[in-house]
Amino acid sequence: MELTARLNDAKYSAFRWRHELSIPKKLALALVMVAVTALLAQLKFPLPWSPVPITGQTLGVLLAGVLLGQWWGGISMGLYAVLGVVGLPLFAGWSHGLSVLAGPTGGYIIGFVLASLFLGHFSDKYVRSRSFLVMLGLMLFANFVLIYIPGLVQLNRWLVTVKGQSVGLVQLLTMGLIPFLPGDITKAVAAAGIARGITPKQAFIGEVDRISGQG
């Protein structure tokens, strides 16, 4: 019981500390998440029927918003995209450049920013979002809606304009969504479990669903 109370106090203190950091220190943490996401991107498994490989980077994306908060999770993924475009080898296969963002996987990278902003908003504003099941639902929505919709739109645009290949919805989903379902669900479960373990269950920055007298 005492150990649990100490762990809860430690999580509360860590997240309050994160919220109260100066901008340069928040930027440093954002760059840490850029590095984590870049390393996970190198877990790359090409698919012979698709220009989109399986990678591990969405695990970093899902955690960025929870760890860094409402805005800085999104900023970290924005930095990931910008730094990769200007020349740092951060994308899958140590690739970089504007050609990646304009290529078949560019839409997913844009979706990373949206997903991190979304998860950061909920983890900061709602205490109840930090439970495993609620966080898992939010992460699945962020992954399969906020990442995959821009990803599929860009993949289809690239196929039509660059490859001259018009595909139907089923073929597009076979190339850009269906093969990734098992891995992405597994990563969402892992990320939700990590988030459940490290986030405080009491209010620390005036959450809208805080209990009276809490935090």
Side-chain angles (χ1 to χ4, degrees):
M1 196 68 171
E2 183 179 350
L3 178 60
T4 300
R6 287 183 178 179
L7 287 173
N8 288 336
D9 288 343
K11 289 187 286 186
Y12 178 86
S13 298
F15 267 68
R16 193 174 191 98
W17 169 81
R18 178 264 278 170
H19 177 70
E20 295 172 350
L21 283 176
S22 65
I23 289 178
K25 291 179 180 178
K26 288 181 178 180
L27 179 59
L29 288 179
L31 290 173
V32 169
M33 288 310 300
V34 169
V36 169
T37 305
L39 289 174
L40 289 169
Q42 308 321 313
L43 299 174
K44 178 184 176 182
F45 304 94
L47 299 174
W49 64 88
S50 173
V52 182
I54 294 173
T55 70
Q57 65 203 123
T58 52
L59 178 61
V61 175
L62 296 178
L63 288 174
V66 176
L67 295 175
L68 301 181
Q70 184 173 5
W71 294 111
W72 284 94
I75 289 171
S76 71
M77 292 302 101
L79 287 171
Y80 174 75
V82 170
L83 292 175
V85 165
V86 299
L88 293 183
L90 303 179
F91 302 139
W94 304 110
S95 59
H96 57 84
L98 185 59
S99 61
V100 177
L101 207 60
T105 60
Y108 300 96
I109 296 172
I110 299 301
F112 293 167
V113 180
L114 301 178
S116 294
L117 285 169
F118 173 82
L119 292 170
H121 170 76
F122 275 90
S123 63
D124 268 8
K125 291 297 183 181
Y126 299 94
V127 177
R128 292 179 181 86
S129 73
R130 301 170 199 154
S131 69
F132 174 77
L133 288 178
V134 175
M135 183 58 69
L136 177 60
L138 292 171
M139 287 183 169
L140 290 174
F141 177 86
N143 192 86
F144 292 113
V145 175
L146 300 180
I147 294 176
Y148 273 92
I149 286 179
L152 290 169
V153 168
Q154 169 65 8
L155 174 60
N156 184 66
R157 187 205 66 80
W158 180 83
L159 288 169
V160 171
T161 60
V162 177
K163 292 296 185 178
Q165 180 181 358
S166 180
V167 299
L169 179 60
V170 172
Q171 188 177 356
L172 182 65
L173 294 178
T174 301
M175 298 174 72
L177 171 62
I178 294 172
F180 309 97
L181 287 171
D184 281 351
I185 292 172
T186 300
K187 284 180 281 186
V189 170
I194 294 170
R196 169 65 180 85
I198 64 176
T199 54
K201 303 310 176 284
Q202 67 267 49
F204 65 97
I205 53 172
E207 290 84 338
V208 297
D209 61 342
R210 63 186 293 171
I211 299 170
S212 179
Q214 181 190 61

